[in-house]
Amino acid sequence: MADSFDVTPWNVDGKVDYGILMKRFGIKPLDQELLDRIKRHTGELHPLIRRGIYFGHRELDWLLDMYEKGEKFYLYTGIAPSSDMTIGHLVPFMITLWLQQKFDADLLIQIPDEEKYLAGRRKGAELDEFHGLAKKAVLDIAALGFDPKKTRIFLDTEYSKTLYKQAVRVARKITFSTVKDALGMGNDTNIGMIFYTSMQAVPSFLKSVMEGKKVPCLIPLGVDQDVHFRVARDVIEKLGYYKPAIIHGKFLPGLSGDSKMSASKENDAIYLDDNEETVRKKINKAITGQQATAELQKKMGGNPEKCMICQYYKFLFEPDDAKLEQIFEAERNGTVLAGEHKQDLARRVNSFLDEHRKRRDAVKARIDEFMERD
Amino acid sequence: MADSFDVTPWNVDGKVDYGILMKRFGIKPLDQELLDRIKRHTGELHPLIRRGIYFGHRELDWLLDMYEKGEKFYLYTGIAPSSDMTIGHLVPFMITLWLQQKFDADLLIQIPDEEKYLAGRRKGAELDEFHGLAKKAVLDIAALGFDPKKTRIFLDTEYSKTLYKQAVRVARKITFSTVKDALGMGNDTNIGMIFYTSMQAVPSFLKSVMEGKKVPCLIPLGVDQDVHFRVARDVIEKLGYYKPAIIHGKFLPGLSGDSKMSASKENDAIYLDDNEETVRKKINKAITGQQATAELQKKMGGNPEKCMICQYYKFLFEPDDAKLEQIFEAERNGTVLAGEHKQDLARRVNSFLDEHRKRRDAVKARIDEFMERD
């Protein structure tokens, strides 16, 4: 069964086939023509784009039409933490940062601190616990280098005077039937979860509300979040705003080979607070898809697409395409053993985390420059 | 069919039998023992209570136990306007005012300016229109004489930073099944309506949240609102607060004999802004249940329970029980014709409205003393 996987905002099951997913969701490919068009404006392409990790879109062509006619867009992305942040959580923010810099775009970042509470994560945990995780997430996000003058970050529970009023306008135009089918809800779904999708829709037109005119919006997101906007895009248009454009990213796979790094499986995920030793240990246990013995590996080679080490280089830890190709080549030819790759990757990850935490410490004192609160 | 009526927060259909309704909803009667107990604290009983217009309760006995042990309660009531206010809308606020004065109780008044918008009232109307109606309603409410030091009034869209966070805690514990059965919702219900009941629950424990300790709450309400709390009371207890106690009022009937004065039927309702002439005309058209001719009426008499004029005296316009009995007696004996009663009632209503509007004008300048906003 090629189709035996499932992708929802709350769960990713099975081995994701992104080609099938595009058809299932009705997402268009980020094809060469679009890549060339982006490049005309940005001069280069971010590795996450040119390597096909950001692979799909909705109406990016329209957004670029508007941009080329002189109508600037703003960006909107977000995350709903149910744990401390992993390196996988950073991927959408990295592409968002790059887009902010290249297109000089304003950015709204929503941290829905109620979502995972409503979804019943962390059994028994109170809303305050998710609020605390959200506040930590803000530091990790700001540490990436967003421009505070162009970036507003908000937690739903701190900004709901603004958000709820607009969410009500969205909610009025979405029936239970719609969320039932699209989001897989049922009689046993709680009424907060049912309403929540309208809260997530708001930032995609909020700037238009505030400026009193239609402003185009681009949402970079992990493809599991697409469904919220499949539901909301038509509604947003009915409310008198532009439908937001979207670009869709693949998931950073888990070290154990899961399609999406799972923050709830300890050895699957690298947390931003993991220490050197932990990172080394986790990477050592990673799935590499190599042959059973060193001898066999040398003889038959491995498959970089199935090797998590190679994938981590590709997603985050080797920006140079030529060097990445060397790494992949060595994997294919069996000229490098897993242990060497693992050691090298662990060094890079630890160096990245080290840098990240320094930047996070530095941003802490001025985090209020980013925050939007009612 | 004795049972052929329906009472929901959004609709009252048919001739309401309050005895049957009590059984259907599981409401206990405000019996003589409870009336006597209230009287021990208040010295007298408000006409709306002693005349059985406030007729039912949930755990008022428990609330009085607590009060007698020295634990003060606060009051919570509200209204969701879909039109300008009618005299019928004032009834729950009148009993609330009396309770505030007699029990020296703090009071929260919620004006959910999103509810009727979500319910699709005033076809095509935007949220702003309901917000405007809510702001007008606040003046009518404050004009009744609430103590601004003990009364906080808020509109949902202006207070949702506070409300949404708590509503999420309620919503997490209510499934779609529950609102489907209790509130008559279905696949075609919008997701804002589905969520809304959790917003209405919040003020019944908000004071406990703010004071960090359990505070008893009493909700005076029109019986159509009971269902929200049938759903929420258990949830509120699970969240660690007292279940709110409730007292239930009957509806002020419409002039045309409807069980509930309908703000959307022009001749059924007396609006607080109706002028003298309009009031006279509407009351002249009221259903009196009298005989076909003056002669027959003198001979056979009428039925004060079916006479809207008599009912208006009973609800609002004759506080003296002995005088009310004279009016009822005259109606029964046929010694007074409808025209005389109508003229007298119109005079009283106009005098009340005149006074009310003066008080409303006077309160306008200091309305902010009442308002709670995020």
Side-chain angles (χ1 to χ4, degrees), chain A residues 112-163:
Chain A
D113 47 344
E114 84 282 40
E115 187 200 351
K116 293 292 164 62
Y117 170 75
L118 287 169
R121 296 292 165 82
R122 301 180 83 82
K123 210 150 180 55
E126 282 302 311
L127 185 53
D128 282 350
E129 194 176 315
F130 294 88
H131 185 67
L133 289 168
K135 278 163 79 171
K136 282 183 73 178
V138 167
L139 296 176
D140 282 313
I141 293 163
L144 294 178
F146 292 101
D147 178 355
K149 287 191 210 71
K150 301 191 140 280
T151 305
R152 309 310 304 151
I153 308 179
F154 49 84
L155 276 52
D156 280 10
T157 61
E158 292 182 350
Y159 200 46
S160 40
K161 182 178 171 187
T162 299
L163 297 174

Coordinates of all heavy atoms in Angstrom, one line a residue, chain A residues 112-163:
Chain A
P112 N 0.4 29.2 19.4 CA -0.9 28.9 20.1 C -0.7 28.0 21.3 O -0.7 26.8 21.2 CB -1.6 28.1 18.9 CG -0.5 27.6 18.0 CD 0.7 28.5 18.2
D113 N -0.5 28.6 22.4 CA -0.2 27.9 23.6 C -1.3 27.1 24.1 O -1.2 26.3 25.1 CB 0.4 28.8 24.7 CG -0.4 30.1 25.0 OD1 -1.2 30.4 24.1 OD2 -0.2 30.7 26.0
E114 N -2.5 27.2 23.5 CA -3.7 26.4 23.9 C -3.8 25.2 23.1 O -4.5 24.2 23.5 CB -5.0 27.3 23.9 CG -5.7 27.4 22.5 CD -5.0 28.4 21.6 OE1 -3.8 28.5 21.6 OE2 -5.8 29.1 20.9
E115 N -3.2 25.1 21.9 CA -3.6 24.0 21.0 C -3.2 22.7 21.5 O -4.1 21.8 21.5 CB -2.9 24.2 19.6 CG -3.4 23.2 18.6 CD -2.6 22.9 17.4 OE1 -1.6 23.6 17.2 OE2 -2.9 21.9 16.7
K116 N -2.0 22.5 22.0 CA -1.6 21.1 22.4 C -2.3 20.8 23.7 O -2.5 19.6 24.0 CB -0.1 21.0 22.5 CG 0.6 21.1 21.1 CD 0.2 19.9 20.2 CE 0.5 20.1 18.7 NZ 1.9 20.3 18.4
Y117 N -2.7 21.8 24.5 CA -3.5 21.6 25.7 C -4.8 21.0 25.3 O -5.3 20.0 25.8 CB -3.6 22.9 26.4 CG -4.6 22.8 27.6 CD1 -4.3 22.2 28.8 CD2 -5.8 23.5 27.5 CE1 -5.2 22.2 29.8 CE2 -6.8 23.5 28.5 CZ -6.5 22.8 29.7 OH -7.4 22.8 30.7
L118 N -5.5 21.6 24.3 CA -6.8 21.2 23.8 C -6.7 19.8 23.2 O -7.6 19.0 23.3 CB -7.3 22.2 22.8 CG -7.8 23.5 23.4 CD1 -8.1 24.5 22.3 CD2 -9.1 23.3 24.3
A119 N -5.5 19.5 22.6 CA -5.3 18.2 21.9 C -5.0 17.1 22.9 O -4.9 16.0 22.6 CB -4.2 18.3 20.9
G120 N -4.9 17.5 24.2 CA -4.7 16.5 25.3 C -3.3 16.0 25.4 O -3.1 14.9 25.9
R121 N -2.3 16.7 24.9 CA -0.9 16.3 25.1 C -0.5 16.4 26.5 O -1.0 17.2 27.3 CB 0.0 17.1 24.1 CG -0.3 16.9 22.7 CD 0.0 15.5 22.2 NE -0.6 15.2 20.9 CZ -0.1 15.6 19.8 NH1 1.1 16.2 19.7 NH2 -0.7 15.3 18.6
R122 N 0.6 15.7 26.8 CA 1.2 15.8 28.2 C 0.1 15.5 29.2 O -0.2 16.4 30.0 CB 1.8 17.1 28.5 CG 3.0 17.5 27.5 CD 3.6 18.8 27.8 NE 4.6 18.8 28.9 CZ 5.8 18.4 28.7 NH1 6.2 18.1 27.5 NH2 6.6 18.3 29.7
K123 N -0.4 14.4 29.2 CA -1.5 14.0 30.1 C -1.5 14.6 31.4 O -0.5 14.5 32.2 CB -1.6 12.4 30.2 CG -2.9 11.9 30.4 CD -3.1 10.5 29.8 CE -4.5 10.0 30.1 NZ -5.5 11.0 29.5
G124 N -2.6 15.3 31.8 CA -2.7 15.9 33.1 C -2.1 17.3 33.2 O -2.3 17.9 34.2
A125 N -1.4 17.7 32.2 CA -0.8 19.0 32.3 C -1.8 20.1 32.1 O -2.7 20.0 31.3 CB 0.3 19.1 31.2
E126 N -1.6 21.2 32.9 CA -2.5 22.3 32.9 C -2.0 23.3 31.8 O -0.9 23.2 31.3 CB -2.5 23.0 34.2 CG -3.3 22.4 35.3 CD -4.8 22.2 34.9 OE1 -5.4 23.2 34.4 OE2 -5.3 21.1 35.0
L127 N -2.9 24.2 31.4 CA -2.7 25.2 30.4 C -1.4 25.9 30.7 O -0.6 26.3 29.8 CB -3.9 26.1 30.3 CG -3.9 27.2 29.2 CD1 -3.6 26.6 27.8 CD2 -5.2 28.0 29.2
D128 N -1.1 26.2 31.9 CA 0.1 27.0 32.3 C 1.4 26.3 31.9 O 2.4 26.9 31.6 CB 0.2 27.1 33.9 CG -0.8 28.2 34.4 OD1 -1.3 28.9 33.5 OD2 -1.0 28.2 35.6
E129 N 1.4 25.0 31.8 CA 2.6 24.2 31.4 C 2.9 24.5 30.0 O 4.0 24.7 29.6 CB 2.4 22.7 31.7 CG 3.7 22.0 31.6 CD 3.5 20.5 32.0 OE1 2.9 20.2 33.0 OE2 4.1 19.7 31.2
F130 N 1.8 24.5 29.2 CA 2.0 24.8 27.7 C 2.4 26.3 27.5 O 3.1 26.6 26.6 CB 0.7 24.5 27.0 CG 0.4 23.0 27.0 CD1 -0.4 22.4 28.0 CD2 0.9 22.2 26.0 CE1 -0.6 21.1 28.1 CE2 0.6 20.8 26.0 CZ -0.1 20.2 27.0
H131 N 1.8 27.1 28.4 CA 2.2 28.5 28.3 C 3.7 28.7 28.6 O 4.4 29.4 27.9 CB 1.4 29.3 29.3 CG 1.5 30.8 29.3 ND1 1.1 31.5 28.3 CD2 2.1 31.6 30.2 CE1 1.4 32.8 28.5 NE2 2.0 32.9 29.7
G132 N 4.2 27.9 29.5 CA 5.6 28.0 29.9 C 6.5 27.5 28.7 O 7.5 28.1 28.3
L133 N 6.0 26.4 28.1 CA 6.8 25.9 26.9 C 6.7 26.9 25.7 O 7.7 27.1 25.0 CB 6.1 24.6 26.4 CG 6.3 23.4 27.3 CD1 5.4 22.2 26.9 CD2 7.8 22.9 27.3
A134 N 5.6 27.6 25.6 CA 5.5 28.6 24.5 C 6.5 29.7 24.8 O 7.1 30.2 23.8 CB 4.1 29.1 24.5
K135 N 6.6 30.1 26.0 CA 7.5 31.2 26.3 C 9.0 30.8 26.1 O 9.8 31.7 25.6 CB 7.3 31.7 27.8 CG 6.1 32.7 27.9 CD 5.6 32.9 29.3 CE 6.5 33.8 30.1 NZ 5.8 34.1 31.4
K136 N 9.3 29.6 26.3 CA 10.6 29.1 26.0 C 10.8 29.1 24.5 O 11.9 29.4 24.0 CB 10.9 27.7 26.6 CG 11.2 27.7 28.1 CD 11.4 26.3 28.6 CE 12.8 25.7 28.1 NZ 13.1 24.4 28.7
A137 N 9.8 28.6 23.8 CA 9.9 28.5 22.3 C 10.2 29.9 21.7 O 10.9 30.0 20.7 CB 8.6 28.0 21.8
V138 N 9.6 30.9 22.3 CA 9.8 32.3 21.7 C 11.3 32.6 21.7 O 11.8 33.2 20.8 CB 9.0 33.3 22.6 CG1 9.5 34.7 22.3 CG2 7.5 33.2 22.4
L139 N 12.0 32.2 22.8 CA 13.4 32.5 22.8 C 14.2 31.8 21.7 O 15.1 32.3 21.1 CB 14.0 32.1 24.2 CG 13.4 32.9 25.4 CD1 14.0 32.3 26.7 CD2 13.8 34.4 25.3
D140 N 13.8 30.5 21.6 CA 14.5 29.7 20.5 C 14.2 30.3 19.1 O 15.1 30.3 18.3 CB 14.0 28.3 20.6 CG 14.7 27.5 21.7 OD1 15.9 27.6 21.8 OD2 14.0 26.8 22.4
I141 N 13.1 30.8 18.9 CA 12.7 31.4 17.6 C 13.4 32.7 17.4 O 14.1 32.9 16.4 CB 11.2 31.6 17.5 CG1 10.5 30.2 17.5 CG2 10.8 32.4 16.3 CD1 9.0 30.2 17.8
A142 N 13.3 33.6 18.4 CA 14.0 34.9 18.3 C 15.5 34.8 18.1 O 16.1 35.5 17.4 CB 13.7 35.8 19.5
A143 N 16.1 33.7 18.7 CA 17.5 33.5 18.6 C 18.0 33.3 17.2 O 19.2 33.4 16.9 CB 17.9 32.3 19.5
L144 N 17.1 32.9 16.3 CA 17.5 32.6 14.9 C 17.9 33.9 14.2 O 18.5 33.8 13.1 CB 16.4 31.9 14.1 CG 16.0 30.5 14.6 CD1 14.9 30.0 13.8 CD2 17.2 29.6 14.6
G145 N 17.5 35.1 14.7 CA 18.0 36.3 14.1 C 16.9 37.1 13.4 O 17.3 38.0 12.5
F146 N 15.7 36.9 13.7 CA 14.6 37.8 13.1 C 14.8 39.2 13.5 O 15.4 39.6 14.6 CB 13.2 37.3 13.6 CG 12.9 35.9 13.1 CD1 13.0 34.8 13.9 CD2 12.5 35.8 11.8 CE1 12.7 33.6 13.4 CE2 12.1 34.5 11.3 CZ 12.2 33.4 12.1
D147 N 14.3 40.1 12.6 CA 14.5 41.5 12.9 C 13.3 42.0 13.8 O 12.1 41.9 13.4 CB 14.4 42.2 11.5 CG 14.4 43.8 11.6 OD1 14.4 44.3 12.8 OD2 14.5 44.4 10.6
P148 N 13.6 42.4 15.0 CA 12.5 42.7 15.9 C 11.6 43.9 15.4 O 10.4 44.0 15.8 CB 13.2 43.1 17.2 CG 14.6 43.4 16.8 CD 14.9 42.6 15.6
K149 N 12.2 44.7 14.5 CA 11.4 45.8 14.0 C 10.3 45.3 13.0 O 9.3 46.0 12.7 CB 12.2 46.8 13.3 CG 13.0 47.7 14.3 CD 13.7 48.9 13.6 CE 15.0 49.3 14.3 NZ 16.1 48.2 14.1
K150 N 10.6 44.1 12.4 CA 9.7 43.6 11.4 C 9.0 42.3 11.9 O 8.3 41.6 11.1 CB 10.5 43.3 10.1 CG 11.2 44.5 9.6 CD 11.7 44.3 8.2 CE 11.5 45.5 7.3 NZ 10.2 45.6 6.8
T151 N 9.2 41.9 13.1 CA 8.6 40.6 13.6 C 7.8 40.8 14.8 O 8.3 41.4 15.8 CB 9.8 39.7 13.9 OG1 10.6 39.6 12.7 CG2 9.3 38.3 14.3
R152 N 6.6 40.3 14.8 CA 5.7 40.3 16.0 C 5.4 38.9 16.4 O 4.9 38.1 15.6 CB 4.4 41.1 15.8 CG 4.5 42.5 15.1 CD 5.5 43.4 15.8 NE 5.3 43.6 17.2 CZ 6.2 43.8 18.1 NH1 7.5 43.9 17.8 NH2 5.9 44.0 19.4
I153 N 5.8 38.5 17.6 CA 5.5 37.2 18.1 C 4.4 37.3 19.2 O 4.5 38.2 20.0 CB 6.8 36.6 18.7 CG1 8.0 36.6 17.7 CG2 6.5 35.1 19.2 CD1 9.3 36.1 18.3
F154 N 3.5 36.4 19.1 CA 2.4 36.4 20.2 C 2.0 35.0 20.6 O 2.0 34.1 19.8 CB 1.2 37.3 19.8 CG 0.7 36.9 18.4 CD1 -0.2 35.9 18.2 CD2 1.1 37.6 17.3 CE1 -0.6 35.5 17.0 CE2 0.7 37.3 16.0 CZ -0.2 36.3 15.8
L155 N 1.6 34.9 21.9 CA 1.0 33.7 22.4 C -0.5 33.9 22.4 O -1.0 35.0 22.7 CB 1.5 33.5 23.8 CG 2.8 32.8 24.1 CD1 4.0 33.4 23.3 CD2 3.2 32.7 25.5
D156 N -1.2 32.9 22.0 CA -2.7 33.0 21.9 C -3.3 33.5 23.2 O -4.2 34.4 23.1 CB -3.3 31.7 21.5 CG -3.2 31.5 20.0 OD1 -2.5 32.2 19.3 OD2 -3.9 30.6 19.4
T157 N -2.8 33.0 24.3 CA -3.5 33.4 25.6 C -3.1 34.8 26.0 O -3.8 35.4 26.8 CB -3.1 32.5 26.7 OG1 -1.7 32.5 27.0 CG2 -3.6 31.0 26.4
E158 N -2.1 35.4 25.3 CA -1.8 36.8 25.7 C -2.3 37.8 24.6 O -2.1 39.0 24.8 CB -0.2 36.9 25.8 CG 0.4 36.2 26.9 CD 1.9 36.4 27.0 OE1 2.5 36.9 26.1 OE2 2.4 36.0 28.0
Y159 N -2.8 37.2 23.5 CA -3.2 38.1 22.4 C -4.6 37.8 22.0 O -5.0 38.2 20.9 CB -2.2 37.8 21.3 CG -2.1 38.9 20.2 CD1 -2.0 40.3 20.6 CD2 -2.1 38.6 18.9 CE1 -1.9 41.3 19.6 CE2 -2.0 39.6 17.9 CZ -1.9 40.9 18.3 OH -1.8 41.9 17.3
S160 N -5.4 37.1 22.9 CA -6.7 36.7 22.4 C -7.8 37.8 22.4 O -8.8 37.6 21.8 CB -7.2 35.5 23.2 OG -6.9 35.6 24.6
K161 N -7.5 38.9 23.0 CA -8.4 40.0 22.8 C -8.5 40.4 21.3 O -9.5 40.6 20.7 CB -8.0 41.2 23.6 CG -9.0 42.4 23.5 CD -8.6 43.5 24.4 CE -9.4 44.8 24.1 NZ -8.9 45.9 24.8
T162 N -7.3 40.4 20.7 CA -7.2 40.7 19.3 C -7.6 39.5 18.4 O -8.4 39.6 17.5 CB -5.7 41.0 18.9 OG1 -5.4 42.2 19.6 CG2 -5.6 41.3 17.4
L163 N -7.2 38.3 18.8 CA -7.4 37.1 18.0 C -8.8 36.6 18.0 O -9.4 36.2 17.0 CB -6.5 36.0 18.4 CG -5.0 36.2 18.2 CD1 -4.2 35.1 18.8 CD2 -4.6 36.4 16.8

